[in-house]
Amino acid sequence: MTERDLFDLAPYIDHTQLDPLATTAEIERCCAEAQQWNFATVCVMPVWVKTAVQLLHRTPVKVCTVIGFPSGAHTSTTKLYEAQEAVENGATELDVVINLGWLKEGNTEAVYRDIAQICGETGVTVKAILETTVLTEEEKQLAVDICLDAGVAFLKTSTGWRGGRNGCGCASSQAPESRSRRY
């Protein structure tokens, strides 16, 4: 792969710095790299959103943050507040970890409400993180259906915090049949 090939992919990449030990210097470096390579977004912990917004002011690079990260096991009220605060601080995209416990016990209405409320009340691009390494095939399909019906723009397979391997097609092959169900 040549440098040109990498540059052609760059506008589709979310460049991340989600280490809870990250410093200002590491956020500055991540933002500089995103600018240099023309990445789509920089994804940082919520505490760093304002800093990233200031560093990327007047660039095409958007600022993304994570909500309910890394477990998804936050209350819906906490997730919504975190999402609203992130948007107020300048985030234009949100990566929301779904509540895996609710999904696994079959509480699909709660999973739907949790995600739909954030999609409906923030007005920004919402991406759902499914954590597919811990889901059965049936749970993956259900998570895809719920999240797309709730209004997410994109699906992500994993936070990277739980280990395991995810294939590129893991969730994408299941997405087309959704967007019509209610939970």
Side-chain angles (χ1 to χ4, degrees), residues 28-101:
E28 289 170 346
R29 181 172 42 255
C30 183
C31 290
E33 290 167 352
Q35 260 187 284
Q36 174 188 354
W37 291 100
N38 193 33
F39 290 136
T41 72
V42 165
C43 187
V44 296
M45 290 290 214
V47 69
W48 294 113
V49 168
K50 282 184 180 180
T51 302
V53 168
Q54 290 169 351
L55 291 168
L56 295 168
H57 182 66
R58 296 186 189 164
T59 75
V61 180
K62 297 176 183 174
V63 176
C64 175
T65 194
V66 287
I67 305 299
F69 188 85
S71 69
H74 300 68
T75 67
S76 294
T77 301
T78 299
K79 282 183 174 177
L80 180 60
Y81 177 82
E82 189 176 32
Q84 290 171 326
E85 182 181 41
V87 172
E88 288 171 13
N89 289 338
T92 58
E93 295 191 9
L94 305 172
D95 286 6
V96 181
V97 183
I98 68 167
N99 189 308
L100 296 164

Side-chain angles (χ1 to χ4, degrees), residues 116-130:
Q117 187 175 29
I118 292 169
C119 291
E121 293 193 29
T122 61
V124 298
T125 299
V126 175
K127 298 172 272 180
I129 303 175
L130 307 182

